[in-house]
Amino acid sequence: AQRSDFKRSVGQPERAARALQASQIRAPGVGPTLSFAQLQLKELLSEVRVDSAHGPAVQAVVQQLTDALLGLQPRQVPGSKIKGFAVACGYEAETKPLAFAPPVRVSVVGSHATSTAITSNNVVDVAAEMPAACFEHKDHLNHRYHLKRATWLATAAAGLAKLPAFADQQWQCFNHDPRRPVVAFTVPA
């Protein structure tokens, strides 16, 4: 019956709106008419939303990290800076220096960016985009990209280690892949 009502209401906006409202559920106190799927999604999101009590403090730390990364000075970094990393991954150590430059962009990514989380700890994922000037045309060959990325990250981490808020650093492998190192900071409360 509902399908035939919809067919007859084509071209008649009032009848089409009534047919659509009949297929939706009105939740008490919610306001506008929501479909069952929308109600389920709203309930699911309310269960995984992060408590925003720590929001301003977390935002202040993220802003401090962003300012510190963008304030790093460009310089030439010797390729031998991460010789241990290269040997551990089975690569030949890079001999050419890296032209270090501050990141192009620093972005909050992951569950903090969407205000959802699976765990209750305050973990904020931050991605820094390396500038194109750090790369050459064929860096994808012979694992040079991974070596340059690790050199850039080590240089940025060394620059951040000078600040008391980011002195406690730990190197980790993203998804257990040694070619993709990340730096985890533990910020004092």
Side-chain angles (χ1 to χ4, degrees):
Q2 183 182 358
R3 191 161 180 65
S4 63
D5 287 342
F6 183 74
K7 284 182 182 178
R8 280 184 283 169
S9 64
V10 173
Q12 299 174 2
E14 300 84 24
R15 292 181 102 181
R18 275 185 264 140
L20 182 61
Q21 284 178 350
S23 66
Q24 293 180 333
I25 301 170
R26 179 174 291 275
V30 174
T33 305
L34 298 174
S35 70
F36 184 66
Q38 288 171 326
L39 287 173
Q40 286 180 321
L41 182 62
K42 186 173 182 166
E43 181 63 28
L44 177 66
L45 286 175
S46 70
E47 292 175 9
V48 295
R49 289 268 179 217
V50 176
D51 181 23
S52 61
H54 301 291
V58 170
Q59 291 294 42
V61 170
V62 169
Q63 187 61 47
Q64 185 180 5
L65 176 65
T66 301
D67 294 342
L69 281 171
L70 294 175
L72 293 173
Q73 296 300 315
R75 60 183 172 275
Q76 290 290 326
V77 179
S80 61
K81 181 172 183 145
I82 57 154
K83 186 175 181 180
F85 170 79
V87 171
C89 290
Y91 307 146
E92 293 181 25
E94 185 70 37
T95 56
K96 293 171 56 175
L98 170 74
F100 177 83
V104 174
R105 182 179 318 128
V106 178
S107 307
V108 176
V109 296
S111 61
H112 185 75
T114 59
S115 299
T116 58
I118 296 174
T119 60
S120 60
N121 58 1
N122 286 325
V123 175
V124 180
D125 299 320
V126 178
E129 182 180 337
M130 288 177 62
C134 293
F135 299 106
E136 294 176 11
H137 178 63
K138 292 191 176 183
D139 278 344
H140 64 281
L141 300 174
N142 298 329
H143 306 286
R144 278 182 270 164
Y145 166 78
H146 300 295
L147 293 172
K148 285 189 174 186
R149 183 180 178 275
T151 303
W152 187 90
L153 187 62
T155 306
L160 291 174
K162 296 174 185 173
L163 300 172
F166 305 110
D168 186 9
Q169 300 178 2
Q170 180 182 3
W171 283 80
Q172 300 173 352
C173 296
F174 184 72
N175 287 339
H176 307 290
D177 186 354
R179 297 171 299 173
R180 299 181 350 181
V182 296
V183 179
F185 299 102
T186 303
V187 180

